[in-house]
Amino acid sequence: MSNWNLNEVPSQSEKVAIVTGANSGIGYEVTLGLIKKGFEVVMACRDMQKAVEAKSKILLQYPKAKINIIMIDTSSLKEVKKFADQFQTQYKKLHLLINNAGIMMSPHRVTDDGFENQFATNYIGHFALTGLLLPILTSTSGSRIISLTSLSYKWSEIKFDDFHFKKGYSKTKAYGQSKRACLMFAFELQRRLSAAGYDTLSIAAHPGLSKTNLDRYYPALIRPLGSLFLQPAAKGALPILFALLDNDLKGGEFIGPDGFQQMRGYPTKVEADEYSNNKEIAKRLWTESEKMTSVFYLS
Ligand SMILES: NC(=O)c1ccc[n+]([C@@H]2O[C@H](COP(=O)([O-])OP(=O)(O)OC[C@H]3O[C@@H](n4cnc5c(N)ncnc54)[C@H](OP(=O)(O)O)[C@@H]3O)[C@@H](O)[C@H]2O)c1
């Protein structure tokens, strides 16, 4: 897998992918990569204008690309449900679900569902989306679900006594918790898919440190510094594309960049820490997530 890139993947037609947060950064580059390989991509975005602009940019490069935009706000359970309903009225198969949309270190906000915003946007919305789309995923041969996590998962454990930071908000810990949850979800999802006898794969992936709009909440003076040491978003998308397209991968694996401290580089298999591999904590997180979303699956 050294220096893996898209040229190693054969073209695939008649296959459908959903990318949440497809208009920017990693999601945009993953969309572009999948289009290049012949997939039809549903860009699941929250801002129609940004989505249309991104779609137009892709069509300039790939005029025959099959791209559909369906609106989603992953921070709202009502909107996630609306997306899932709309998708399933239009499509009868789903090969790839890329749970990518995210925000980082945002100011404190409580969503309409009463959740801390980073936890809701990055994790809870995707937990619900996956559950709502599970029937179509499991009935599509060779389907995969990729959960985007981050090196920052180490910034926090799961705060079972205060998921929503009611006792005091930390924007770094809230991001860390959300990304820890995405990672543990990917592992637990695979265990549950296997136990139920499904061949759908769940894989976790992270893009190292990549130049995207994720730093939008950083002070304006600091943002330009990113360009000096972050890898381009297209490079950061490679571990995600590898997780999506490499035929030798098994479910429950974790993919990241192969360079120094996993900050940049080409895709490789990486290890999660002991806490993230703890099956009891993952089970508890799953049960709590079902209660929070009222989406019950594989349980
Ligand atoms: N960049 C990195 O170095 C890095 C490192 C580790 C992990 N990641 C992960 O990579 C993923 C993509 O982030 P990125 O770096 O590509 O950042 P980005 O350029 O800011 O892209 C984030 C995408 O998510 C969308 N989004 C945010 N909130 C949403 C919501 N409530 N509903 C629907 N879509 C929403 C954004 O839409 P708008 O454009 O409308 O805001 C945008 O399309 C995230 O999960 C992030 O945690 C990134």
Side-chain angles (χ1 to χ4, degrees), residues 11 23 26 61 82 88 151 223 226 291:
S11 281
N23 60 282
I26 304 297
Q61 216 175 324
K82 211 156 105 187
Q88 287 173 110
L151 290 169
R223 292 190 73 192
K291 283 191 221 156

Side-chain angles (χ1 to χ4, degrees), residues 20-28 44-47 50 72-76 99-104 109 117 121-122 126 148-152 175 179 205-216 230 233:
T20 65
N23 60 282
S24 170
I26 304 297
Y28 175 81
C45 300
R46 64 172 167 179
D47 182 318
K50 286 189 196 171
I72 193 170
D73 177 350
T74 59
S75 74
S76 157
N99 288 328
N100 165 79
I103 46 172
M104 178 177 72
R109 180 173 92 85
N117 194 25
T121 303
N122 301 354
H126 288 123
L148 266 281
T149 181
S150 162
L151 290 169
S152 317
Y175 183 63
K179 290 286 123 177
H206 81 85
L209 303 182
S210 308
K211 183 77 195 107
T212 67
N213 288 320
L214 198 64
D215 60 359
R216 70 187 73 189
L230 302 178

